[in-house]
Amino acid sequence: MIEGSHQPHPDFRRTMVPKHPTKRRRLPPTERREEILQKAINLFSEHGFESSTREIARQLGITQPLLYRYFPSKEDLIREAYRSVYLERWDVEWDRLLCDRTKPLDWRLKAFYDSYTHAIFTRDWMRIYLFSGLKGADINRWYIGLLEERILQRIIKEYRHLAGLDGERQPEAEELELAWALHSGIFYLGVREHIFSLPPPKDRQKIIGNVVDVFHHGIQAYFSKLSAMKPAKLAAQS
């Protein structure tokens, strides 16, 4: 060091750098709305639906008036979360796949559940669905109605057709429970991973295939009995 020269103290150098608070980047309204929605989805998936709109705004780091600007009520926010997490992941090809009688029915089910589980086996999907069920929120009711109408009833109708029965008649409650048993068994694989934090199966596709195989043979036996009883019922009525 040259005699007489002085190096500024480190603290002094820091004071020479102007400090500016971090400003929130201005976003177009559509992007801001989507940002708020995605943060709300993360919040719902971690903490459920207990928070007030004031608390939701606080946890999202925004003001309550800003939240209301994009979502006038908590119900609106929940409805949009449902659209984003559930409806936007719904693939219309699933309906066509299940109805494609040019392919074996067990193959159709395996292909469907392979695609379906890839869409729903995520942390936000699973946790929001279960939080909704525990707190009686509308998301469960909305989704179960969609699932029964578009998937489970179709599965039963296809097996009735395979057994030579009326494939267009609405399934009875007892028949629909069989489809629920299949669906719930596969759904549990996602619950185990995203709710219980247990390791997922090493080969999910193989596990799904095994579950479908057991269901496929069992439900055919069930409908074969109904098909065999059909002539006897007709004779008794004549």
Side-chain angles (χ1 to χ4, degrees), residues 71-162:
F71 303 98
S73 70
K74 182 177 175 180
E75 289 70 28
D76 289 315
L77 186 56
I78 291 174
R79 190 176 295 109
E80 283 302 295
Y82 171 72
R83 177 194 59 77
S84 178
V85 176
Y86 296 91
L87 297 186
E88 289 188 358
R89 297 186 194 181
W90 190 274
D91 190 343
V92 295
E93 290 299 320
W94 294 338
D95 303 79
R96 299 190 185 97
L97 172 63
L98 289 172
C99 296
D100 184 1
R101 291 175 180 170
T102 66
K103 296 180 175 63
L105 185 46
D106 57 338
W107 182 94
R108 285 181 261 162
L109 285 182
K110 291 174 186 177
F112 162 70
Y113 275 111
D114 182 55
S115 176
Y116 182 75
T117 54
H118 274 90
I120 74 165
F121 280 12
T122 64
R123 184 175 178 83
D124 58 351
W125 199 106
M126 286 285 170
R127 291 178 65 85
I128 288 176
Y129 184 81
L130 292 178
F131 272 129
S132 175
L134 290 171
K135 298 303 178 183
D138 286 333
I139 284 178
N140 273 83
R141 179 173 52 81
W142 295 333
Y143 190 76
I144 286 174
L146 178 69
L147 181 66
E148 283 196 352
E149 179 183 352
R150 302 281 289 277
I151 302 300
L152 303 185
Q153 289 186 22
R154 174 53 57 193
I155 289 173
I156 295 302
K157 288 178 179 180
E158 290 301 299
Y159 275 105
R160 289 185 62 85
H161 174 79
L162 193 64

Side-chain angles (χ1 to χ4, degrees), residues 35-236:
E35 179 189 56
I36 293 172
L37 176 60
Q38 292 307 314
K39 287 182 178 180
I41 288 170
N42 291 336
L43 177 65
F44 291 151
S45 71
E46 295 304 321
H47 303 291
F49 303 93
E50 291 294 297
S51 302
S52 65
T53 52
R54 183 184 300 277
E55 179 64 16
I56 290 171
R58 188 189 69 79
Q59 294 193 45
L60 297 184
I62 61 176
T63 64
Q64 193 175 19
L66 180 61
L67 177 63
Y68 281 139
R69 183 185 304 174
Y70 294 102
F71 303 98
S73 70
K74 182 177 175 180
E75 289 70 28
D76 289 315
L77 186 56
I78 291 174
R79 190 176 295 109
E80 283 302 295
Y82 171 72
R83 177 194 59 77
S84 178
V85 176
Y86 296 91
L87 297 186
E88 289 188 358
R89 297 186 194 181
W90 190 274
D91 190 343
V92 295
E93 290 299 320
W94 294 338
D95 303 79
R96 299 190 185 97
L97 172 63
L98 289 172
C99 296
D100 184 1
R101 291 175 180 170
T102 66
K103 296 180 175 63
L105 185 46
D106 57 338
W107 182 94
R108 285 181 261 162
L109 285 182
K110 291 174 186 177
F112 162 70
Y113 275 111
D114 182 55
S115 176
Y116 182 75
T117 54
H118 274 90
I120 74 165
F121 280 12
T122 64
R123 184 175 178 83
D124 58 351
W125 199 106
M126 286 285 170
R127 291 178 65 85
I128 288 176
Y129 184 81
L130 292 178
F131 272 129
S132 175
L134 290 171
K135 298 303 178 183
D138 286 333
I139 284 178
N140 273 83
R141 179 173 52 81
W142 295 333
Y143 190 76
I144 286 174
L146 178 69
L147 181 66
E148 283 196 352
E149 179 183 352
R150 302 281 289 277
I151 302 300
L152 303 185
Q153 289 186 22
R154 174 53 57 193
I155 289 173
I156 295 302
K157 288 178 179 180
E158 290 301 299
Y159 275 105
R160 289 185 62 85
H161 174 79
L162 193 64
L165 299 169
D166 181 3
E168 296 308 313
R169 183 175 64 77
Q170 285 297 104
E172 297 179 4
E174 180 181 308
E175 297 170 345
L176 200 57
E177 288 299 327
L178 297 174
W180 269 116
L182 165 69
H183 190 84
S184 300
I186 293 173
F187 180 79
Y188 176 74
L189 298 175
V191 172
R192 191 171 68 184
E193 178 180 355
H194 295 289
I195 306 301
F196 299 150
S197 299
L198 297 174
K202 292 181 179 179
D203 189 342
R204 186 171 70 197
Q205 190 175 40
K206 183 178 180 180
I207 298 299
I208 289 173
N210 291 341
V211 172
V212 168
D213 283 340
V214 171
F215 174 81
H216 181 67
H217 294 294
I219 196 169
Q220 285 190 93
Y222 171 85
F223 279 119
S224 291
K225 289 181 182 178
L226 292 184
S227 184
M229 292 167 57
K230 185 178 176 183
K233 286 185 177 180
L234 291 175

